[in-house]
Amino acid sequence: GVVGFADHYFYMDRVAQVVLESGLRANLAWCAFGREEGEVGIDLAGIARFVEEWQDAGDGRVKTTLGPHSPYMCSPQFLARTAAVAARLGVGVHIHVAESPEQVARSKAEHGMTPVELLAKNGVFDVPVLLAHGIYLDPIDYEILAANTATVVQCPTCHMKLGMGVTPVPALQAAGVRVALGTDGTASNNALDMLQEARHAALIQKLTALDPTLLPGDAAL
């Protein structure tokens, strides 16, 4: 029953070609690593060319976003440049955020703010954002996410497999933050089964909070 998906990594031009052939819909983000010492792999200009070529292809079935990997793999300057390019092109951003306590602690030590605050400071939330994982969030993060066009994508099977933790879905929903469901890809999951993800999304919240009433099955779907 899956008719569309969001994907984030390399060779998105090849993925876009397959989307056109398959009849699916997709939102595709070509991953970028923008370090202070320089960009690794395809640069921001190359990604912009991909967006310009593929945005709304297939009678609108293909959408594109910019894909800076994460605040810990991209410098603040690169995040700001990415946000500016996304705004110019009229697209959003797909990024990994707050996946571990170490990432959050490093952000606070180096920048004096959480990863979500760092994104806000550099204009990333000026465009729509898909924020993968969002496990370790501070109260200020909830406020920022709720006030902007941001969607936190929980990936429960991946989070269990890699021992990452649990996205605080009930708290996010209570704060008015949009929440979606993802797999994080087969490398982190071993499957792309969205019904399995919905089941695991419900079970992991109940187990973590010791509350069987949390996230009933219809809510997970």
Short mmCIF file of all heavy atoms in Angstrom, two decimals, residues 111-175:
data_model
loop_
_atom_site.label_atom_id
_atom_site.label_comp_id
_atom_site.label_asym_id
_atom_site.label_seq_id
_atom_site.Cartn_x
_atom_site.Cartn_y
_atom_site.Cartn_z
N HIS A 111 29.00 24.68 20.49
CA HIS A 111 28.20 25.81 20.00
C HIS A 111 27.34 26.49 21.08
O HIS A 111 26.73 27.52 20.81
CB HIS A 111 27.29 25.35 18.86
CG HIS A 111 28.02 24.65 17.75
ND1 HIS A 111 28.93 25.29 16.94
CD2 HIS A 111 27.97 23.35 17.33
CE1 HIS A 111 29.41 24.42 16.05
NE2 HIS A 111 28.86 23.25 16.28
N GLY A 112 27.28 25.86 22.26
CA GLY A 112 26.47 26.44 23.33
C GLY A 112 24.99 26.31 23.10
O GLY A 112 24.21 27.08 23.69
N MET A 113 24.58 25.34 22.29
CA MET A 113 23.15 25.15 22.00
C MET A 113 22.92 23.73 21.51
O MET A 113 23.86 23.03 21.13
CB MET A 113 22.66 26.17 20.96
CG MET A 113 23.37 26.10 19.62
SD MET A 113 22.92 27.47 18.52
CE MET A 113 23.85 28.81 19.29
N THR A 114 21.67 23.32 21.56
CA THR A 114 21.31 21.98 21.08
C THR A 114 21.40 21.94 19.55
O THR A 114 21.44 22.99 18.88
CB THR A 114 19.87 21.61 21.49
OG1 THR A 114 18.95 22.43 20.74
CG2 THR A 114 19.65 21.80 22.98
N PRO A 115 21.42 20.74 18.96
CA PRO A 115 21.42 20.65 17.50
C PRO A 115 20.22 21.35 16.87
O PRO A 115 20.36 21.99 15.81
CB PRO A 115 21.39 19.14 17.24
CG PRO A 115 22.04 18.54 18.43
CD PRO A 115 21.61 19.40 19.58
N VAL A 116 19.04 21.23 17.48
CA VAL A 116 17.86 21.90 16.93
C VAL A 116 18.01 23.41 17.01
O VAL A 116 17.67 24.13 16.06
CB VAL A 116 16.59 21.43 17.68
CG1 VAL A 116 15.37 22.26 17.26
CG2 VAL A 116 16.33 19.94 17.41
N GLU A 117 18.54 23.92 18.12
CA GLU A 117 18.79 25.36 18.22
C GLU A 117 19.80 25.81 17.17
O GLU A 117 19.67 26.90 16.59
CB GLU A 117 19.33 25.69 19.62
CG GLU A 117 18.32 25.63 20.73
CD GLU A 117 18.93 26.00 22.06
OE1 GLU A 117 19.77 25.22 22.58
OE2 GLU A 117 18.60 27.09 22.57
N LEU A 118 20.82 24.99 16.91
CA LEU A 118 21.82 25.32 15.91
C LEU A 118 21.20 25.45 14.53
O LEU A 118 21.52 26.36 13.77
CB LEU A 118 22.92 24.25 15.91
CG LEU A 118 24.11 24.51 15.01
CD1 LEU A 118 24.91 25.72 15.50
CD2 LEU A 118 25.01 23.27 14.94
N LEU A 119 20.28 24.53 14.21
CA LEU A 119 19.58 24.61 12.93
C LEU A 119 18.76 25.89 12.85
O LEU A 119 18.75 26.57 11.82
CB LEU A 119 18.67 23.40 12.75
CG LEU A 119 19.33 22.03 12.67
CD1 LEU A 119 18.28 20.95 12.43
CD2 LEU A 119 20.39 21.98 11.57
N ALA A 120 18.08 26.22 13.94
CA ALA A 120 17.24 27.42 13.95
C ALA A 120 18.10 28.67 13.77
O ALA A 120 17.74 29.58 13.00
CB ALA A 120 16.45 27.50 15.25
N LYS A 121 19.24 28.72 14.45
CA LYS A 121 20.11 29.90 14.36
C LYS A 121 20.61 30.11 12.94
O LYS A 121 20.82 31.26 12.51
CB LYS A 121 21.29 29.74 15.32
CG LYS A 121 22.26 30.92 15.28
CD LYS A 121 23.43 30.74 16.23
CE LYS A 121 24.38 31.93 16.14
NZ LYS A 121 25.55 31.76 17.05
N ASN A 122 20.79 29.02 12.20
CA ASN A 122 21.35 29.11 10.86
C ASN A 122 20.29 29.08 9.76
O ASN A 122 20.60 28.83 8.59
CB ASN A 122 22.39 28.00 10.66
CG ASN A 122 23.66 28.28 11.42
OD1 ASN A 122 24.48 29.10 11.02
ND2 ASN A 122 23.82 27.63 12.58
N GLY A 123 19.02 29.31 10.14
CA GLY A 123 17.98 29.52 9.16
C GLY A 123 17.38 28.29 8.54
O GLY A 123 16.58 28.39 7.60
N VAL A 124 17.73 27.11 9.05
CA VAL A 124 17.24 25.89 8.43
C VAL A 124 15.71 25.78 8.52
O VAL A 124 15.05 25.32 7.59
CB VAL A 124 17.92 24.65 9.05
CG1 VAL A 124 17.32 23.36 8.50
CG2 VAL A 124 19.42 24.68 8.77
N PHE A 125 15.15 26.27 9.63
CA PHE A 125 13.70 26.17 9.79
C PHE A 125 12.93 27.26 9.04
O PHE A 125 11.71 27.35 9.17
CB PHE A 125 13.33 26.17 11.28
CG PHE A 125 13.75 24.92 11.99
CD1 PHE A 125 14.77 24.97 12.95
CD2 PHE A 125 13.17 23.70 11.70
CE1 PHE A 125 15.17 23.82 13.61
CE2 PHE A 125 13.57 22.55 12.35
CZ PHE A 125 14.58 22.60 13.30
N ASP A 126 13.65 28.04 8.25
CA ASP A 126 12.95 28.98 7.37
C ASP A 126 12.26 28.25 6.22
O ASP A 126 11.45 28.84 5.51
CB ASP A 126 13.94 30.01 6.80
CG ASP A 126 14.47 30.95 7.87
OD1 ASP A 126 13.89 30.99 8.97
OD2 ASP A 126 15.47 31.65 7.60
N VAL A 127 12.62 26.97 6.02
CA VAL A 127 11.98 26.12 5.01
C VAL A 127 11.42 24.88 5.71
O VAL A 127 11.79 24.60 6.85
CB VAL A 127 12.98 25.72 3.91
CG1 VAL A 127 13.52 26.96 3.19
CG2 VAL A 127 14.12 24.89 4.48
N PRO A 128 10.54 24.12 5.07
CA PRO A 128 10.06 22.88 5.69
C PRO A 128 11.21 21.90 5.94
O PRO A 128 12.12 21.77 5.11
CB PRO A 128 9.08 22.33 4.65
CG PRO A 128 8.66 23.52 3.86
CD PRO A 128 9.86 24.41 3.80
N VAL A 129 11.16 21.21 7.07
CA VAL A 129 12.25 20.31 7.45
C VAL A 129 11.71 18.93 7.82
O VAL A 129 10.77 18.81 8.62
CB VAL A 129 13.05 20.88 8.65
CG1 VAL A 129 14.15 19.90 9.07
CG2 VAL A 129 13.66 22.22 8.29
N LEU A 130 12.32 17.88 7.24
CA LEU A 130 12.14 16.51 7.71
C LEU A 130 13.32 16.20 8.61
O LEU A 130 14.47 16.22 8.15
CB LEU A 130 12.13 15.53 6.54
CG LEU A 130 10.82 15.28 5.80
CD1 LEU A 130 11.05 14.30 4.66
CD2 LEU A 130 9.77 14.74 6.75
N LEU A 131 13.05 15.93 9.88
CA LEU A 131 14.08 15.74 10.89
C LEU A 131 14.06 14.27 11.32
O LEU A 131 13.15 13.84 12.03
CB LEU A 131 13.81 16.69 12.06
CG LEU A 131 14.82 16.85 13.16
CD1 LEU A 131 14.64 18.20 13.82
CD2 LEU A 131 14.66 15.75 14.22
N ALA A 132 15.03 13.51 10.84
CA ALA A 132 15.06 12.08 11.14
C ALA A 132 15.57 11.83 12.56
O ALA A 132 16.53 12.46 13.00
CB ALA A 132 15.96 11.35 10.14
N HIS A 133 14.90 10.95 13.25
CA HIS A 133 15.23 10.43 14.58
C HIS A 133 14.71 11.33 15.71
O HIS A 133 13.77 10.97 16.38
CB HIS A 133 16.73 10.16 14.72
CG HIS A 133 17.27 9.27 13.67
ND1 HIS A 133 16.86 7.97 13.51
CD2 HIS A 133 18.16 9.50 12.68
CE1 HIS A 133 17.46 7.42 12.48
NE2 HIS A 133 18.27 8.33 11.95
N GLY A 134 15.33 12.46 15.99
CA GLY A 134 14.84 13.35 17.04
C GLY A 134 14.61 12.66 18.36
O GLY A 134 13.56 12.82 18.99
N ILE A 135 15.60 11.90 18.81
CA ILE A 135 15.43 11.09 20.03
C ILE A 135 15.73 11.90 21.29
O ILE A 135 14.98 11.82 22.27
CB ILE A 135 16.35 9.85 19.96
CG1 ILE A 135 16.00 9.00 18.73
CG2 ILE A 135 16.23 9.03 21.24
CD1 ILE A 135 16.98 7.87 18.48
N TYR A 136 16.80 12.67 21.28
CA TYR A 136 17.27 13.35 22.48
C TYR A 136 17.04 14.85 22.32
O TYR A 136 17.87 15.58 21.78
CB TYR A 136 18.75 13.02 22.73
CG TYR A 136 18.93 11.53 22.95
CD1 TYR A 136 19.29 10.70 21.90
CD2 TYR A 136 18.67 10.96 24.19
CE1 TYR A 136 19.41 9.33 22.08
CE2 TYR A 136 18.79 9.59 24.39
CZ TYR A 136 19.17 8.78 23.34
OH TYR A 136 19.26 7.42 23.53
N LEU A 137 15.88 15.28 22.79
CA LEU A 137 15.43 16.66 22.59
C LEU A 137 15.27 17.37 23.93
O LEU A 137 14.79 16.78 24.90
CB LEU A 137 14.10 16.67 21.84
CG LEU A 137 14.11 16.03 20.44
CD1 LEU A 137 12.70 15.90 19.90
CD2 LEU A 137 14.99 16.83 19.49
N ASP A 138 15.65 18.64 23.99
CA ASP A 138 15.45 19.49 25.16
C ASP A 138 14.12 20.23 25.04
O ASP A 138 13.55 20.33 23.95
CB ASP A 138 16.59 20.50 25.25
CG ASP A 138 17.87 19.88 25.79
OD1 ASP A 138 17.95 18.64 25.84
OD2 ASP A 138 18.80 20.64 26.13
N PRO A 139 13.61 20.77 26.14
CA PRO A 139 12.35 21.53 26.08
C PRO A 139 12.35 22.63 25.03
O PRO A 139 11.35 22.84 24.34
CB PRO A 139 12.21 22.09 27.49
CG PRO A 139 12.90 21.07 28.36
CD PRO A 139 14.07 20.60 27.54
N ILE A 140 13.47 23.34 24.85
CA ILE A 140 13.52 24.41 23.85
C ILE A 140 13.34 23.84 22.45
O ILE A 140 12.78 24.51 21.56
CB ILE A 140 14.85 25.18 23.96
CG1 ILE A 140 14.87 26.37 23.00
CG2 ILE A 140 16.03 24.27 23.68
CD1 ILE A 140 13.82 27.40 23.26
N ASP A 141 13.79 22.60 22.25
CA ASP A 141 13.65 21.98 20.93
C ASP A 141 12.17 21.77 20.57
O ASP A 141 11.78 21.99 19.42
CB ASP A 141 14.37 20.63 20.91
CG ASP A 141 15.85 20.76 21.19
OD1 ASP A 141 16.41 21.84 20.92
OD2 ASP A 141 16.44 19.77 21.67
N TYR A 142 11.38 21.35 21.54
CA TYR A 142 9.95 21.16 21.30
C TYR A 142 9.32 22.47 20.84
O TYR A 142 8.50 22.49 19.90
CB TYR A 142 9.25 20.68 22.57
CG TYR A 142 9.56 19.26 22.97
CD1 TYR A 142 10.74 18.93 23.63
CD2 TYR A 142 8.65 18.24 22.71
CE1 TYR A 142 11.02 17.63 24.00
CE2 TYR A 142 8.92 16.92 23.09
CZ TYR A 142 10.11 16.63 23.73
OH TYR A 142 10.39 15.34 24.11
N GLU A 143 9.68 23.57 21.48
CA GLU A 143 9.11 24.87 21.13
C GLU A 143 9.49 25.25 19.70
O GLU A 143 8.64 25.72 18.92
CB GLU A 143 9.60 25.94 22.10
CG GLU A 143 9.15 25.72 23.54
CD GLU A 143 9.71 26.78 24.48
OE1 GLU A 143 10.15 27.84 23.97
OE2 GLU A 143 9.73 26.55 25.70
N ILE A 144 10.75 25.05 19.34
CA ILE A 144 11.22 25.41 18.00
C ILE A 144 10.52 24.56 16.95
O ILE A 144 10.03 25.07 15.93
CB ILE A 144 12.74 25.24 17.91
CG1 ILE A 144 13.44 26.26 18.81
CG2 ILE A 144 13.22 25.38 16.46
CD1 ILE A 144 14.94 26.02 18.95
N LEU A 145 10.44 23.27 17.19
CA LEU A 145 9.83 22.36 16.21
C LEU A 145 8.35 22.65 16.03
O LEU A 145 7.83 22.62 14.91
CB LEU A 145 10.04 20.91 16.65
CG LEU A 145 11.50 20.44 16.68
CD1 LEU A 145 11.60 19.07 17.33
CD2 LEU A 145 12.09 20.41 15.28
N ALA A 146 7.66 22.93 17.13
CA ALA A 146 6.22 23.20 17.05
C ALA A 146 5.94 24.51 16.34
O ALA A 146 4.89 24.66 15.69
CB ALA A 146 5.62 23.22 18.45
N ALA A 147 6.86 25.45 16.43
CA ALA A 147 6.63 26.78 15.86
C ALA A 147 6.97 26.85 14.38
O ALA A 147 6.70 27.87 13.73
CB ALA A 147 7.44 27.82 16.62
N ASN A 148 7.54 25.77 13.84
CA ASN A 148 7.98 25.79 12.45
C ASN A 148 7.39 24.62 11.67
O ASN A 148 6.77 23.73 12.25
CB ASN A 148 9.51 25.73 12.39
CG ASN A 148 10.16 27.00 12.91
OD1 ASN A 148 10.21 28.00 12.21
ND2 ASN A 148 10.65 26.96 14.14
N THR A 149 7.60 24.63 10.35
CA THR A 149 7.10 23.54 9.51
C THR A 149 8.12 22.41 9.55
O THR A 149 8.89 22.19 8.59
CB THR A 149 6.89 24.04 8.07
OG1 THR A 149 6.08 25.22 8.10
CG2 THR A 149 6.16 22.98 7.24
N ALA A 150 8.15 21.72 10.68
CA ALA A 150 9.11 20.64 10.90
C ALA A 150 8.36 19.36 11.22
O ALA A 150 7.34 19.38 11.91
CB ALA A 150 10.05 21.00 12.05
N THR A 151 8.88 18.26 10.71
CA THR A 151 8.30 16.95 10.99
C THR A 151 9.40 16.03 11.51
O THR A 151 10.43 15.85 10.85
CB THR A 151 7.69 16.33 9.72
OG1 THR A 151 6.68 17.19 9.21
CG2 THR A 151 7.08 14.96 10.02
N VAL A 152 9.20 15.47 12.70
CA VAL A 152 10.14 14.51 13.27
C VAL A 152 9.75 13.11 12.79
O VAL A 152 8.61 12.69 12.94
CB VAL A 152 10.13 14.57 14.80
CG1 VAL A 152 11.04 13.49 15.39
CG2 VAL A 152 10.58 15.94 15.28
N VAL A 153 10.71 12.40 12.22
CA VAL A 153 10.45 11.06 11.68
C VAL A 153 11.07 10.02 12.60
O VAL A 153 12.30 9.88 12.66
CB VAL A 153 11.01 10.91 10.25
CG1 VAL A 153 10.62 9.55 9.68
CG2 VAL A 153 10.51 12.04 9.36
N GLN A 154 10.23 9.32 13.33
CA GLN A 154 10.73 8.25 14.19
C GLN A 154 10.98 7.00 13.34
O GLN A 154 10.25 6.72 12.39
CB GLN A 154 9.73 7.92 15.29
CG GLN A 154 8.36 7.49 14.77
CD GLN A 154 7.54 6.80 15.83
OE1 GLN A 154 8.07 6.21 16.77
NE2 GLN A 154 6.23 6.86 15.67
N CYS A 155 12.02 6.24 13.69
CA CYS A 155 12.39 5.03 12.95
C CYS A 155 12.57 3.90 13.97
O CYS A 155 13.70 3.52 14.30
CB CYS A 155 13.67 5.26 12.16
SG CYS A 155 13.61 6.67 11.03
N PRO A 156 11.47 3.37 14.50
CA PRO A 156 11.56 2.51 15.69
C PRO A 156 12.37 1.23 15.50
O PRO A 156 13.09 0.83 16.41
CB PRO A 156 10.10 2.21 16.03
CG PRO A 156 9.34 2.50 14.77
CD PRO A 156 10.08 3.60 14.10
N THR A 157 12.27 0.57 14.34
CA THR A 157 13.02 -0.66 14.15
C THR A 157 14.52 -0.38 14.15
O THR A 157 15.31 -1.08 14.79
CB THR A 157 12.61 -1.36 12.85
OG1 THR A 157 11.19 -1.58 12.86
CG2 THR A 157 13.31 -2.69 12.70
N CYS A 158 14.91 0.65 13.44
CA CYS A 158 16.31 1.09 13.45
C CYS A 158 16.76 1.44 14.86
O CYS A 158 17.86 1.05 15.29
CB CYS A 158 16.47 2.29 12.53
SG CYS A 158 17.95 3.29 12.84
N HIS A 159 15.93 2.16 15.59
CA HIS A 159 16.31 2.59 16.94
C HIS A 159 16.52 1.39 17.86
O HIS A 159 17.41 1.41 18.72
CB HIS A 159 15.23 3.51 17.51
CG HIS A 159 15.10 4.80 16.75
ND1 HIS A 159 14.07 5.69 16.97
CD2 HIS A 159 15.87 5.35 15.77
CE1 HIS A 159 14.22 6.72 16.16
NE2 HIS A 159 15.30 6.54 15.43
N MET A 160 15.71 0.35 17.67
CA MET A 160 15.91 -0.86 18.47
C MET A 160 17.14 -1.63 18.01
O MET A 160 17.96 -2.06 18.84
CB MET A 160 14.66 -1.75 18.37
CG MET A 160 13.45 -1.18 19.11
SD MET A 160 12.04 -2.32 19.20
CE MET A 160 11.46 -2.26 17.50
N LYS A 161 17.29 -1.80 16.71
CA LYS A 161 18.42 -2.58 16.18
C LYS A 161 19.76 -1.99 16.60
O LYS A 161 20.69 -2.72 16.99
CB LYS A 161 18.34 -2.64 14.66
CG LYS A 161 19.53 -3.35 14.02
CD LYS A 161 19.52 -3.28 12.51
CE LYS A 161 20.80 -3.89 11.94
NZ LYS A 161 20.88 -3.80 10.47
N LEU A 162 19.87 -0.67 16.55
CA LEU A 162 21.14 0.00 16.83
C LEU A 162 21.25 0.49 18.28
O LEU A 162 22.23 1.12 18.65
CB LEU A 162 21.34 1.18 15.88
CG LEU A 162 21.36 0.82 14.39
CD1 LEU A 162 21.62 2.05 13.54
CD2 LEU A 162 22.39 -0.26 14.09
N GLY A 163 20.23 0.19 19.10
CA GLY A 163 20.27 0.58 20.51
C GLY A 163 20.36 2.08 20.70
O GLY A 163 21.06 2.56 21.59
N MET A 164 19.62 2.82 19.90
CA MET A 164 19.73 4.27 19.89
C MET A 164 18.90 4.96 20.95
O MET A 164 19.30 5.99 21.50
CB MET A 164 19.34 4.81 18.51
CG MET A 164 20.26 4.38 17.40
SD MET A 164 19.63 4.79 15.74
CE MET A 164 19.68 6.60 15.81
N GLY A 165 17.72 4.43 21.25
CA GLY A 165 16.80 5.10 22.14
C GLY A 165 15.44 5.20 21.48
O GLY A 165 15.18 4.54 20.46
N VAL A 166 14.57 6.03 22.03
CA VAL A 166 13.18 6.09 21.57
C VAL A 166 12.79 7.54 21.31
O VAL A 166 12.95 8.40 22.19
CB VAL A 166 12.22 5.48 22.61
CG1 VAL A 166 10.78 5.53 22.11
CG2 VAL A 166 12.62 4.04 22.92
N THR A 167 12.29 7.84 20.14
CA THR A 167 11.76 9.17 19.86
C THR A 167 10.56 9.43 20.77
O THR A 167 9.65 8.61 20.83
CB THR A 167 11.32 9.27 18.39
OG1 THR A 167 12.45 8.99 17.55
CG2 THR A 167 10.78 10.65 18.07
N PRO A 168 10.52 10.55 21.49
CA PRO A 168 9.44 10.81 22.44
C PRO A 168 8.15 11.25 21.74
O PRO A 168 7.72 12.39 21.86
CB PRO A 168 10.02 11.93 23.32
CG PRO A 168 10.94 12.67 22.40
CD PRO A 168 11.54 11.61 21.50
N VAL A 169 7.54 10.32 21.04
CA VAL A 169 6.39 10.66 20.19
C VAL A 169 5.23 11.26 20.96
O VAL A 169 4.68 12.30 20.56
CB VAL A 169 5.96 9.42 19.38
CG1 VAL A 169 4.65 9.69 18.63
CG2 VAL A 169 7.05 9.03 18.39
N PRO A 170 4.76 10.65 22.08
CA PRO A 170 3.63 11.26 22.79
C PRO A 170 3.92 12.69 23.24
O PRO A 170 3.05 13.57 23.14
CB PRO A 170 3.42 10.33 23.98
CG PRO A 170 3.94 9.00 23.51
CD PRO A 170 5.13 9.34 22.67
N ALA A 171 5.13 12.95 23.72
CA ALA A 171 5.49 14.30 24.16
C ALA A 171 5.55 15.26 22.98
O ALA A 171 5.12 16.42 23.08
CB ALA A 171 6.84 14.27 24.89
N LEU A 172 6.06 14.81 21.86
CA LEU A 172 6.10 15.64 20.66
C LEU A 172 4.69 16.00 20.20
O LEU A 172 4.40 17.15 19.88
CB LEU A 172 6.86 14.94 19.54
CG LEU A 172 8.38 14.86 19.70
CD1 LEU A 172 8.97 13.85 18.73
CD2 LEU A 172 9.01 16.23 19.48
N GLN A 173 3.83 15.00 20.17
CA GLN A 173 2.45 15.26 19.75
C GLN A 173 1.76 16.22 20.71
O GLN A 173 1.01 17.10 20.28
CB GLN A 173 1.69 13.94 19.64
CG GLN A 173 2.16 13.07 18.49
CD GLN A 173 1.40 11.76 18.41
OE1 GLN A 173 1.11 11.14 19.43
NE2 GLN A 173 1.07 11.33 17.20
N ALA A 174 2.00 16.04 22.01
CA ALA A 174 1.38 16.93 23.00
C ALA A 174 1.86 18.37 22.83
O ALA A 174 1.12 19.31 23.12
CB ALA A 174 1.69 16.43 24.41
N ALA A 175 3.09 18.53 22.34
CA ALA A 175 3.65 19.86 22.13
C ALA A 175 3.22 20.46 20.79
O ALA A 175 3.57 21.60 20.49
CB ALA A 175 5.17 19.81 22.21
#
